Amino acid sequence: MLILAFFFLLRPGEYVSSSSADAAPFRFANVHLFCGNRKLHLERASDQELWSATFVGLEFTNQKNCVKGEIIGLGRSGSDLWCPVRASIRRIIALRRHHAPPHTPLHSYWDGHRWCCIASTHLTAILRTAILVMGDQHGLQPSDVTARSLRASGAMALLCANVDTDRIRLIGRWRSDEMFRYLHTQAAPLTKDIALRMLTHGSFVLIPNTPHAALVQALM
């Protein structure tokens, strides 16, 4: 679930159990796997067929800022572990192994006796444990991260990859510039060459008697 939250820019109530009024978890029936152009039947396909999937889509129903019935999809990342397609396959195989019905939330797991849920506190604890080990090299303290941080991290990764902000807004379902709160200017890849670029392109001549020239004079 952690991997899906990162790649799909999910809110906590969409991928873990939450008491929030906005909680709307994705369910078994909301996952769509494709091998090329062929849609796989999640209940009838063999494990081998599922592992052949090259694309995964999440269907939105009642999530915040969604269009009901809209499907946002992603292809394989190239990683065996950090891949939205492979993470979805692992979830589907785990759920159907215990005969989960279509309405089962993706964050559910069978403990041998009953269905249980992964809670946001569980994910936050896991993330903070990881930060204890490697946080210093990234300038992070355990208190800096929660389950909500995965949405911010995914958006930051897209921005650092020079993905257009309109596409980031679509994937994350932001309807305003709220998203830029998540795209921190402290991120070195975003700001490391700004001074160089300003110096390189800072020599210019303004056409007299234009609004731009008047603005520069006012700022001086």
Side-chain angles (χ1 to χ4, degrees):
M1 296 312 299
L2 183 151
I3 294 171
L4 293 180
F6 172 79
F7 281 106
F8 281 99
L9 310 186
L10 301 182
R11 297 176 175 86
E14 298 169 351
Y15 73 95
V16 288
S17 178
S18 170
S19 59
S20 169
D22 293 331
F26 285 97
R27 302 175 185 276
F28 185 111
N30 301 139
V31 178
H32 301 270
L33 290 171
F34 298 83
C35 181
N37 294 324
R38 182 170 62 93
K39 184 176 180 179
L40 303 176
H41 194 291
L42 299 190
E43 295 182 39
R44 292 201 299 262
S46 67
D47 286 2
Q48 183 177 0
E49 285 181 290
L50 292 182
W51 282 115
S52 72
T54 55
F55 188 87
V56 60
L58 285 184
E59 180 179 353
F60 290 80
T61 53
N62 59 342
Q63 288 76 24
K64 186 176 179 180
N65 292 347
C66 78
V67 176
K68 188 172 182 178
E70 180 181 55
I71 296 176
I72 292 180
L74 296 170
R76 287 183 177 250
S77 69
S79 167
D80 287 340
L81 178 61
W82 280 89
C83 172
V85 178
R86 294 181 66 86
S88 300
I89 294 169
R90 288 193 290 269
R91 275 282 76 211
I92 294 302
I93 289 176
L95 289 173
R96 71 179 194 172
R97 183 175 296 141
H98 300 290
H99 311 290
H103 64 268
T104 305
L106 291 180
H107 59 59
S108 303
Y109 66 94
W110 183 256
D111 73 350
H113 303 284
R114 59 189 176 90
W115 286 104
C116 302
C117 295
I118 301 170
S120 58
T121 53
H122 299 152
L123 263 296
T124 295
I126 290 171
L127 290 170
R128 289 180 173 177
T129 298
I131 294 301
L132 279 174
V133 176
M134 59 184 68
D136 284 348
Q137 58 188 294
H138 299 289
L140 292 171
Q141 297 297 319
S143 59
D144 294 331
V145 299
T146 67
R148 188 173 294 275
S149 302
L150 294 168
R151 179 168 162 84
S153 298
M156 177 66 79
L158 288 170
L159 190 69
C160 290
N162 294 317
V163 174
D164 184 83
T165 53
D166 286 340
R167 293 174 66 189
I168 301 174
R169 202 180 264 113
L170 283 172
I171 296 171
R173 292 161 287 127
W174 280 286
R175 291 183 174 175
S176 68
D177 288 340
E178 172 200 1
M179 61 174 288
F180 291 106
R181 291 171 48 205
Y182 292 88
L183 309 182
H184 310 299
T185 55
Q186 294 92 328
L190 299 180
T191 59
K192 67 179 181 180
D193 66 339
I194 284 181
L196 174 61
R197 291 167 67 181
M198 292 173 70
L199 187 62
T200 302
H201 300 283
S203 178
F204 51 83
V205 176
L206 291 173
I207 300 173
N209 301 318
T210 65
H212 297 89
L215 175 61
V216 170
Q217 281 298 119
L219 292 174
M220 294 174 65

